[in-house]
Every structure is written in structure tokens, then in C-alpha cells.
Amino acid sequence: MTPIVRSGAAARTGALLILLGPLVSWLAEFVTAAAWQDPPYAPLHDWVSHLGLTGPKQTAFGQVAHSPLGAVMDTGWVIYGVLLIAGTFLVFDPRKGARPTVIVILAALAGTGVSLVGIFQGSNANVENGLIAFHTLGAQSVMLTGNLMAIAVGLGGARIGLGRGRSITSIALGTFGLLAFPLFMADVLTGWMWNVGMFERAVIYPIMIGHALLGSGLAAARRRSVTHPPTPLDVRVAS
């Protein structure tokens, strides 16, 4: 089966970048949420994107938001997006067919989306000046393309070098995230807003876990190829 990933130092670097992306974002989220103490941040109730709001306390999208380290969260999202795009381009080889091309495109859209969330805050000021459209576009695009990428990666797991377990898990994660997306949107659009943070994370976290599994799986596959290189054809024939 023809691999759809590159080999060599570039691919190893790309695998590391894909793995680091969600780890950086989770670290930024933990630090930012810990600093939010007026009142304490509630992960199941509060919007994820409210962690990135800078400035004074405000009521935005039906919730009181006060994130003293909002810039840390925004930076984490932008770094995540850049690492995902760069890492995917280093790992996957579009010359190998449609599947790697699709994965690269989905990664570029997801990475751009999460970066837009960090650049354009979900604030009242951006609602008034119209820039909230970029925040919304970024959030919804990463929710859809990120989960679709997880499914595409799982379906091509054998050609990527992932084990059967990681491939099935990636498909399951992406499917779960896609099923959670309409539930999240219904919770928001109906105005019910019940535990919106929980529904939002149900869409986002499968993407992040999928990227962590992909990056670590690629790194493991690269180590195996270095430690146990394939036997040359002439040696196999002679044996």
C-alpha cells in the first residue's frame, strides 16, 4: 500500500508540530481558565471563546465574561492553527493522490479557522463593528473541517502509518464531533444556552484529541522506520 506521507527530517518535524498544536492550546486554556476567578470559570457552562476576551468584564452572548489572561488564550489558538497547517504540509504529500490533498486542505481550513478565533474575539465591540463575522466563521469552520479531517485521517490510517486502533479512534472522534455540532448549534440558536461550554467542547475536543493521536502516531511511525528500515529488495531476493 502506497504511503501518502513524506519521509525524512521534514516529516518528523511535521509530526511534532501537529502534536504540539493541541498541547499548546490546552496549556493556554488551563492557564487562562485558572486566572478567571470573578466568578471562577465554569468549563461546562461558560463559552470556550470567552477565555480569549481581553479588557474589562462584559456580558457577551448571554454570559458574564472576565478573562484576565485572554491574550494568552488568543495566542494559544493562533499558534495551534499555524502549527497544524505547517505540520500537515510537512507530513502529507499531495502528489500521492486525492486523500493527502483532501487532508491538507481540511487542515488548512481548520488551522485558519482556529487562528481566526484567536485574532477576532467574540466581544461586544466586534459585534458592533461587524468583525464578529470572522470569529463565527473561524469557529464553525474549524468545528466542521477539523472533525472531517479526523475521519479522513482514520480512513487513510494504513497509508499514513497509523495502527488500526488509532485509525478507528480517529474516525470515532470525528464522527462524535460532527454529531455534537448540530446539538451545539441548536443549544445556541434556540436561546436555551444550557451548558453551552459542554456542547462546545464536545465538538472541539475530539478534533484536538485527533490531532494529538495523529502527531504522536506519525512520530512513532517515523521512529520505527528509522530503527527498523525495510530490507532492500536484492537482499530479500537473495534470501
Side-chain angles (χ1 to χ4, degrees):
M1 189 172 292
T2 305
I4 59 175
V5 294
R6 306 179 196 272
S7 59
R12 291 193 294 273
T13 301
L16 179 61
L17 296 182
I18 294 173
L19 173 60
L20 283 177
L23 300 184
V24 168
S25 183
W26 270 320
L27 177 61
E29 181 178 340
F30 176 80
V31 171
T32 307
W36 180 326
Q37 292 295 327
D38 186 23
Y41 182 79
L44 298 184
H45 171 74
D46 292 322
W47 288 90
V48 176
S49 59
H50 275 15
L51 287 169
L53 292 181
T54 57
K57 182 186 294 186
Q58 61 181 289
T59 300
F61 294 94
Q63 292 184 0
V64 177
H66 183 226
S67 185
L69 297 182
V72 173
M73 189 70 261
D74 292 332
T75 302
W77 282 325
V78 173
I79 291 175
Y80 183 9
V82 172
L83 291 179
L84 175 62
I85 295 172
T88 305
F89 271 96
L90 288 173
V91 167
F92 290 91
D93 188 351
R95 297 171 299 178
K96 298 295 180 64
R99 190 177 299 279
T101 301
V102 168
I103 292 174
V104 167
I105 292 173
L106 290 173
L109 292 173
T112 301
V114 71
S115 295
L116 286 175
V117 171
I119 295 170
F120 299 97
Q121 301 173 17
S123 62
N124 291 324
N126 280 345
V127 171
E128 295 173 0
N129 61 29
L131 292 178
I132 192 65
F134 293 101
H135 179 89
T136 303
L137 175 63
Q140 294 186 3
S141 65
V142 69
M143 287 179 175
L144 291 173
T145 59
N147 283 300
L148 287 173
M149 177 183 171
I151 295 174
V153 165
L155 292 174
R159 297 180 63 189
I160 294 172
L162 302 181
R164 179 176 175 83
R166 286 180 188 269
S167 299
I168 294 175
T169 301
S170 186
I171 295 172
L173 287 168
T175 301
F176 181 87
L178 287 180
L179 291 175
F181 179 73
L183 297 178
F184 163 67
M185 292 301 297
D187 190 35
V188 174
L189 295 177
T190 59
W192 190 24
M193 302 288 286
W194 180 77
N195 278 353
V196 68
M198 177 185 71
F199 283 108
E200 196 174 15
R201 284 174 169 82
V203 184
I204 297 170
Y205 279 9
I207 300 169
M208 301 175 72
I209 296 171
H211 290 154
L213 287 175
L214 172 60
S216 60
L218 286 166
R222 300 284 75 75
R223 285 196 300 271
R224 287 196 301 270
S225 65
V226 172
T227 307
H228 304 288
T231 305
L233 179 60
D234 55 348
V235 174
R236 294 201 299 269
V237 172
S239 63

